[in-house]
Amino acid sequence: MTEIIDGKSIAEDVVAKVKEQAAALAGAGVRPGLAVVIVGEDPASQVYVASKSRRAKECGFHSVQHSLPADTGEGELVALIKELNADPAIHGILVQLPLPNHIDAGRIIQTIAPQKDVDGFHFINVGKLGTGEVETAFVPCTPAGAMLMLERVRGKDLSGLNAVVIGRSNIVGKPMANLLLAANATVTIAHSRTKDLPAVARGADILVAAVGRPQMVKGDWVKPGATVIDVGINRIAAPEKGEGKTRLVGDVAYEEAKAVAGAITPVPGGVGPMTIAMLMANTLVSAFRAAGREPPVF
Ligand code: NAD
């Protein structure tokens, strides 16, 4: 029987631990603080930001949301981040991407203090992850969540296992590959220029899809018994649900892949819920570090 890796339930476990540890820290007079910054009206970003702020409140955090108009200047945004960098009540700063075109997202990310960069996108955190300093880095939330899911099936040590990550983005593919490497897997990063992708994928004991192409990974790309982690979130038309209706699918053709895999994450209900849970975990860890205490390990 193929194991379905339930992201909702693992995310709830993470959040339960965050709440418990946040309460313990409150006893020492420290309340984790998360500031979420959004620029413009992008509807998907509005939904993400609202759920991040809601989760933070639910965890007992000090939760602040800055919603800025689409025509906000880069200088104004930099000034806000510098203020948040200096605010001792804030332990995590998240700037929702994408930013409007007139703002240099790279510059904005590098303005966030590395010790408050709970998204893990600052060069300092990227460098720490790349050099194996995972203990003191902030690891980007989506790959960190994907690793926790993988751990449920394969444990922490992936020695001897071949991992293939499809996608080389800075947000998912590259940090995921680094985490797999840190866990001793033999790692291949495949991408849009890879030759014979199905053959490469078939070599994977652990197959991670982070492409952004609906149901691209077919059942016959999956090695029998492999663990399949589907990071993709794609909205496609679902005329079977009624005119104009849509549904979410991953980058993996789920039913086909499930028939071959040993374990697989569904979409929705897989990696998606883990991302926000790991953001809470990173913010909590940041508050522990700021208080000079040993942070919990997730
Ligand atoms: P991206 O567009 O930045 O990167 C996509 C990568 O896929 C690129 O490196 C590209 O080389 C590769 N690629 C594109 N076409 C390909 C092809 N035909 N064959 C092989 N490789 C190909 O995307 P991203 O930000 O890394 O996101 C990837 C997916 O993960 C998207 O569906 C996104 O919605 C989803 N995502 C989910 C979460 C979550 O919370 N679960 C978070 C971030 C991203």
Side-chain angles (χ1 to χ4, degrees):
M1 265 292 282
T2 307
E3 182 180 343
I4 311 302
I5 313 172
D6 182 351
K8 271 194 207 151
S9 126
I10 303 172
E12 284 312 321
D13 290 351
V14 170
V15 168
K17 187 166 169 181
V18 169
K19 284 182 186 168
E20 182 196 299
Q21 294 289 327
L25 201 57
V30 180
R31 189 177 180 205
L34 175 65
V36 179
V37 181
I38 179 165
V39 184
E41 306 292 330
D42 178 59
S45 294
Q46 295 281 350
V47 172
Y48 288 138
V49 162
S51 47
K52 285 168 186 174
S53 297
R54 199 169 47 238
R55 263 296 200 200
K57 286 196 186 101
E58 191 195 322
C59 289
F61 291 2
H62 167 55
S63 167
V64 202
Q65 190 177 317
H66 293 271
S67 301
L68 307 178
D71 61 358
T72 301
E74 191 172 300
E76 255 175 278
L77 186 54
V78 165
L80 171 63
I81 292 169
K82 285 186 174 165
E83 235 174 77
L84 295 168
N85 283 345
D87 183 347
I90 297 298
H91 303 98
I93 302 169
L94 181 142
V95 179
Q96 185 65 42
L97 301 176
L99 287 167
N101 286 336
H102 68 276
I103 298 179
D104 177 352
R107 176 169 177 226
I108 295 302
I109 289 166
Q110 301 314 319
T111 304
I112 300 172
Q115 67 275 17
K116 296 191 180 187
D117 168 40
V118 283
D119 249 343
F121 297 156
H122 191 284
F123 291 152
I124 294 273
N125 288 310
V126 175
K128 283 186 174 185
L129 176 58
T131 49
E133 284 280 324
V134 182
E135 301 297 309
T136 64
F138 282 118
V139 175
C141 300
T142 300
M147 284 304 286
L148 271 193
M149 300 179 90
L150 182 58
E151 209 179 288
R152 295 282 172 121
V153 183
R154 297 281 190 174
K156 277 184 189 293
D157 185 5
L158 307 177
S159 293
L161 296 173
N162 287 329
V164 173
V165 180
I166 313 179
R168 56 174 164 180
S169 73
N170 291 332
I171 294 174
V172 188
K174 282 183 207 157
M176 186 73 206
N178 269 325
L179 287 168
L180 288 161
L181 193 59
N184 300 323
T186 302
V187 183
T188 304
I189 305 176
H191 47 78
S192 52
R193 306 293 179 91
T194 297
K195 206 170 132 190
D196 199 357
L197 186 55
V200 174
R202 269 192 293 273
D205 302 301
I206 296 162
L207 183 59
V208 181
V211 188
R213 295 190 183 262
Q215 300 166 315
M216 184 187 85
V217 176
K218 305 300 178 200
D220 64 1
W221 296 25
V222 177
K223 178 177 174 177
T227 304
V228 178
I229 308 282
D230 189 353
V231 181
I233 300 180
N234 310 287
R235 192 166 282 286
I236 61 166
E240 71 281 4
K241 285 168 68 183
E243 207 187 304
K245 298 280 183 197
T246 60
R247 68 189 174 101
L248 290 181
V249 296
D251 290 342
V252 176
Y254 182 72
E255 292 302 332
E256 286 178 22
K258 192 176 83 169
V260 190
I264 188 166
T265 64
V267 177
V271 179
M274 294 300 293
T275 299
I276 293 182
M278 296 317 289
L279 175 66
M280 301 303 126
N282 278 353
T283 306
L284 178 86
V285 164
S286 181
F288 266 77
R289 288 179 185 158
R293 295 187 160 217
E294 186 70 27
V297 176
F298 285 89

